[in-house]
Amino acid sequence: MSEGSPHDLLTGGSADLQSLRAVLGDCHRCPLGDTRTTVVFGVGDPGARLMFIGEAPGRNEDLQGEPFVGAAGKLLDELLASIGLDRSEVYIANVLKCRPPGNRDPLPDEIDTCTPFLNEQVRLIAPDVIATLGNFATRHVLRTERPISALRGRLFHVDGRRIVPIFHPAAALYDQNKRAVLADDFRRLRAVLDAAADDPEDVATGQPSLF
Ligand code: URA
């Protein structure tokens, strides 16, 4: 493993988000480096208690260098506001840091190459709660093939962290039923955050579900 690789940071253990971003650099570790415009690292509070993980940057994100800045991002901001949060108070990242051409699904090699950076972000931010947005991020984080529709509304624990799968905001843009479900998911997310603040040991004691 060459010097400055994500593996060094994984094992080195002393990095902050800024130095992780510097290691990522003008990334060409996978072919997406040749087609994307901007590396979309992540945005928000480095000490956030709540972290969102989406799939990959879309066209707007690729141009602006920030996750969830398009229509789905506007809905995400509204949903955050509905539970008393601003995007500056949470952290938002994606499984992939670069846009797949035409927004196609991420490929296994791309995921494998990018995952150490996401893992490092999670380790450095150390959020109480991770909300996975949609099928792709949820399956990746929970290491399952089950669909988001079977997983949303439940609380999971992975590596000592609370994981709350929710619908992807893009899926709710033109579907009022899904939007109502998503609003409900955010209310549950607020409850999980509040419970985590009241009882930080909850994960350690292995309480299976709040719902
Ligand atoms: N969809 C995602 O999953 N991530 C983004 O950053 C934008 C849209």
Side-chain angles (χ1 to χ4, degrees), residues 54-57 61 67-68 94 168:
E55 178 172 329
E61 292 75 22
F68 286 95
N94 284 306
H168 196 291

Side-chain angles (χ1 to χ4, degrees), residues 50-153:
L50 171 60
M51 178 171 180
F52 289 90
I53 300 179
E55 178 172 329
R59 193 169 72 87
N60 293 300
E61 292 75 22
D62 179 56
L63 294 174
Q64 295 182 43
E66 181 171 331
F68 286 95
V69 290
K74 190 165 172 287
L75 179 55
L76 178 61
D77 287 345
E78 286 171 20
L79 290 159
L80 280 169
S82 76
I83 58 166
L85 289 170
D86 183 82
R87 74 158 51 205
S88 64
E89 296 174 277
V90 302
Y91 197 89
I92 308 172
N94 284 306
V95 174
L96 291 191
K97 308 285 181 254
C98 294
R99 181 193 186 205
N103 295 348
R104 64 154 169 72
D105 285 351
L107 301 175
D109 277 359
E110 296 161 358
I111 299 163
D112 287 350
T113 307
C114 223
T115 292
F117 290 96
L118 178 65
N119 289 348
E120 273 300 277
Q121 286 175 301
V122 171
R123 186 184 70 78
L124 292 165
I125 295 160
D128 290 337
V129 181
I130 294 175
T132 53
L133 297 169
N135 254 323
F136 187 84
T138 301
R139 288 172 168 172
H140 177 70
V141 171
L142 295 182
R143 297 162 197 134
T144 178
E145 293 298 316
R146 302 189 68 197
I148 182 67
S149 51
L151 300 168
R152 61 148 296 279

Side-chain angles (χ1 to χ4, degrees), residues 75 167-183:
L75 179 55
F167 275 142
H168 196 291
L173 278 178
Y174 307 105
D175 182 334
Q176 285 305 323
N177 292 336
K178 280 217 174 86
R179 197 178 277 226
V181 174
L182 195 51

